[in-house]
Amino acid sequence: MTSTYGGVAGVTSDGLPEWLMPVARVAETVEARQLSRFLPPARGGGRPSAVLVLFGEGDRGPELLLLERASSLRSHAGQPSFPGGALDPEDGDPEGAGPVRAALREAEEETGLDPAGVQVFAVLPRLYIPVSGFVVTPVLGWWRKPSPIRPVDPAETARVFTVPVADLTDPAHRATTVHPSGHTGPCFLVEGALVWGFTAGVIDRILHFAGWERPWNRDNRVPLDWRA
């Protein structure tokens, strides 16, 4: 199955490992409202951005690539997230190829990975982060040829790490965050980090629609402090 999403030839699920095919199938039909209650403004607006949701295989099987933002940043300081960021003019059309190019470019700039080793196999619908005003396109990738990773700029990225999917699906690592505003959402306690917010929401929905989710205790609550 090969597509030309946004004019980018080579966005394809051909050759994916069998375990990743449920995610590829979900991406074909899932709608934005099934992924988040926060959708891009109907009248437009918001800053176009993209994140790379990168699946690989490690010593413990399937895994996801995440990073932890530097604690000195003004926005989302210290928060784990997918690699990604705002589109630059050279990335191209936000309605076309721009998000794919931006996701790969940002991942290289933040983690040092080699984009040539990444197979983009799907693009999810655009979502919205109200607190920052970003309109985010999640770009799904398969790390076909892994390359070394590191925090390229410590002023922006505190660490880069992978999380086994087995840990993300383990009920012992799952909980519900409670923001001081009263907002609640899924979270994951993995690799010494609390993954919450937009990133946790996307992971939660992928696990659910791919059929990987295991029953977990939603009454297990983790409060977020006022800085969150």
Side-chain angles (χ1 to χ4, degrees):
M1 179 176 60
T2 302
S3 70
T4 55
Y5 170 82
V8 181
V11 176
T12 176
S13 61
D14 292 346
L16 291 182
E18 188 60 32
W19 63 263
L20 194 49
M21 288 307 299
V23 179
R25 287 191 287 267
V26 165
E28 293 180 35
T29 59
V30 72
E31 299 178 8
R33 61 179 177 80
Q34 295 176 294
L35 297 172
S36 175
R37 63 176 177 167
F38 299 115
L39 305 182
R43 297 184 179 179
R47 189 175 183 186
S49 64
V51 295
L52 181 63
V53 184
L54 184 60
F55 292 89
E57 284 195 65
D59 294 338
R60 296 182 53 204
E63 60 186 17
L64 266 178
L65 177 67
L66 296 177
L67 60 82
E68 186 174 309
R69 295 169 60 83
S71 59
S72 58
L73 294 176
R74 290 191 296 176
S75 177
H76 306 292
Q79 189 171 343
S81 68
F82 300 118
L87 269 66
D88 285 347
E90 60 266 27
D91 294 323
D93 185 2
E95 302 290 334
V100 172
R101 294 194 184 106
L104 293 172
R105 174 184 55 76
E106 287 281 347
E108 181 179 17
E109 292 175 359
E110 292 176 330
T111 75
L113 67 75
D114 181 1
V118 176
Q119 175 183 338
V120 174
F121 66 88
V123 178
L124 295 180
R126 288 175 295 177
L127 306 174
Y128 189 57
I129 303 180
V131 67
S132 60
F134 282 105
V135 175
V136 186
T137 300
V139 175
L140 305 186
W142 160 236
W143 210 355
R144 179 177 292 279
K145 295 181 180 179
S147 51
I149 52 175
R150 71 192 191 285
V152 174
D153 183 354
E156 292 189 0
T157 305
R159 65 171 173 144
V160 180
F161 59 103
T162 57
V163 180
V165 171
D167 286 351
L168 294 168
T169 60
D170 186 342
H173 295 161
R174 304 210 56 181
T176 298
T177 52
V178 182
H179 193 276
S181 66
H183 173 69
T184 61
C187 69
F188 302 84
L189 296 96
V190 290
E191 299 297 319
L194 175 65
V195 182
W196 63 282
F198 175 85
T199 302
V202 171
I203 295 173
D204 171 79
R205 293 296 81 195
I206 289 176
L207 298 181
H208 173 76
F209 287 113
W212 295 348
E213 184 179 34
R214 296 165 58 189
W216 58 281
N217 182 12
R218 287 171 170 77
D219 292 328
N220 179 20
R221 303 209 160 197
V222 176
L224 298 170
D225 66 25
W226 64 273
R227 291 172 298 176

